[in-house]
């Protein structure tokens, strides 16, 4: 679960790099990732669905900053 929290932090850092035209998308991702990170930290575990969602959001935000 600790690696998932680190992934959340990396995604949140990437949200700051998104160009202006993608700010709404980045804010949406930020809210979802923060909620997932909060849950993971509160429960000291991560679900498969959360891992998959983080991977998808990471890929999506990465496309915006390329």
């Amino acid at each position: 679960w600790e690696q998932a929290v680190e992934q959340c932090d990396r995604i949140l850092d990437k949200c700051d790099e998104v160009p202006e035209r993608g700010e709404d998308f980045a804010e949406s991702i930020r809210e979802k990732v923060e909620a997932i990170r909060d849950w993971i930290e509160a429960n000291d575990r991560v679900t498969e669905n959360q891992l998959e969602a983080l991977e998808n959001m990471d890929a999506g935000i990465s496309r915006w900053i390329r």
Side-chain angles (χ1 to χ4, degrees):
W1 66 268
E2 291 167 335
Q3 290 177 337
V5 170
E6 290 172 8
Q7 183 177 21
C8 289
D9 292 339
R10 284 192 303 274
I11 295 169
L12 293 171
D13 287 342
K14 289 179 183 180
C15 286
D16 294 334
E17 299 176 34
V18 171
E20 187 175 329
R21 60 184 166 63
E23 284 179 355
D24 289 341
F25 176 75
E27 186 56 33
S28 172
I29 294 295
R30 180 183 307 283
E31 290 172 7
K32 291 174 182 135
V33 170
E34 287 174 346
I36 290 172
R37 183 180 63 187
D38 290 346
W39 190 93
I40 292 169
E41 290 177 329
N43 293 280
D44 291 342
R45 68 184 190 93
V46 62
T47 68
E48 288 297 319
N49 286 341
Q50 288 169 328
L51 286 173
E52 184 176 343
L54 289 172
E55 287 296 323
N56 289 335
M57 288 185 277
D58 196 358
I61 206 77
S62 292
R63 283 193 291 275
W64 271 101
I65 57 177
R66 283 192 194 135

